[in-house]
Amino acid sequence: MTQEDDELDSLVRKRIRGLRVAQGWSLEELATRANLSQSSLSRIENGQRRLALDQLVTLARALDTTLDQLVETATDDIVTSPTIDGAHGLMRWPVKGDPGMSVVRQRITGPPPDNPARMRAHPGREWLVVLAGTAVLMLGHRRVRVETNQAAEFPTMMPHAIGAEGGPCEILGIFDRDARRGHQRDSAAAAGPRA
């Protein structure tokens, strides 16, 4: 084994124990959930037993995580700079752990559209939090006020648009892959306020 392998081995063992402790589970409880003996789990956590792939998969499931997350190592590029779309007032950061996700910061100055034909619908989900001001979220025929520090989450297949009320507002939104693609198409095709 190389030093790098030893470090990963040690990290995985610490993660197993850390996740077990964070759940408030005893060795016996996790061993039962993973269909292992308590002594086997103890030896795995303490480095006295070889880590077998099939046991790691079982332990990951029992700990409600994935094998990828259990063996993931830190990367050197932990800081991400945004791409900036000045025309639409957007700052966009990719989420490295899930390349389909992105985080967007947007300053909105105008009210939401009063014409339902200007609302957009596309596959996906969106979550947003208002950082400053008051946002108005149009969802179909509903008009929802979202104040500073409040969040909203909705499926983007529902026609939607967002605007500001009583002055500019700033939002931080998280888009899944489908919602992000829908917004990229919308921004190319539509002018004016949108979500």
Side-chain angles (χ1 to χ4, degrees):
M1 254 187 170
T2 66
Q3 182 179 350
E4 194 173 292
D5 291 339
D6 287 341
E7 288 172 6
L8 178 60
D9 184 80
S10 176
L11 177 67
V12 170
R13 292 173 192 280
K14 287 177 184 173
R15 280 193 181 144
I16 290 169
R17 184 178 191 287
L19 288 168
R20 176 181 62 78
V21 170
Q23 295 284 357
W25 295 340
S26 65
L27 275 167
E28 181 181 9
E29 189 167 357
L30 178 56
T32 300
R33 291 172 183 266
N35 201 25
L36 293 169
S37 72
Q38 185 175 338
S39 63
S40 291
L41 177 59
S42 177
R43 289 193 313 265
I44 287 171
E45 285 187 3
N46 294 321
Q48 298 168 351
R49 182 174 175 160
R50 182 180 65 85
L51 288 171
L53 183 59
D54 60 333
Q55 289 174 334
L56 285 178
V57 170
T58 302
L59 283 166
R61 284 189 191 127
L63 290 164
D64 196 26
T65 189
T66 65
L67 182 59
D68 289 347
Q69 290 173 330
L70 204 54
V71 301
E72 179 179 44
T73 58
T75 59
D76 293 335
D77 54 346
I78 59 173
V79 175
T80 304
S81 296
T83 56
I84 299 173
D85 176 355
H88 296 100
L90 298 174
M91 294 175 81
R92 184 180 310 271
W93 296 265
V95 177
K96 291 180 185 179
D98 185 345
M101 301 285 285
S102 63
V103 178
V104 174
R105 181 175 180 181
Q106 182 176 12
R107 184 170 197 268
I108 302 171
T109 57
D114 32 357
N115 181 352
R118 294 196 46 214
M119 289 194 270
R120 301 287 180 242
H122 48 82
R125 288 196 69 77
E126 185 172 331
W127 177 91
L128 64 90
V129 64
V130 177
L131 301 173
T134 301
V136 176
L137 177 61
M138 303 299 293
L139 289 173
H141 297 293
R142 291 180 60 201
R143 185 177 198 274
V144 181
R145 284 173 48 105
V146 188
E147 305 283 345
T148 301
N149 296 327
Q150 289 184 323
E153 182 177 359
F154 58 94
T156 55
M157 283 301 288
M158 181 176 290
H160 61 281
I162 192 164
E165 180 177 271
C169 71
E170 286 202 27
I171 64 168
L172 190 67
I174 300 176
F175 303 95
D176 69 10
R177 179 186 320 267
D178 293 331
R180 188 192 71 202
R181 286 181 185 149
H183 281 273
Q184 287 170 341
R185 285 190 304 267
D186 289 349
S187 65
R194 69 208 180 287

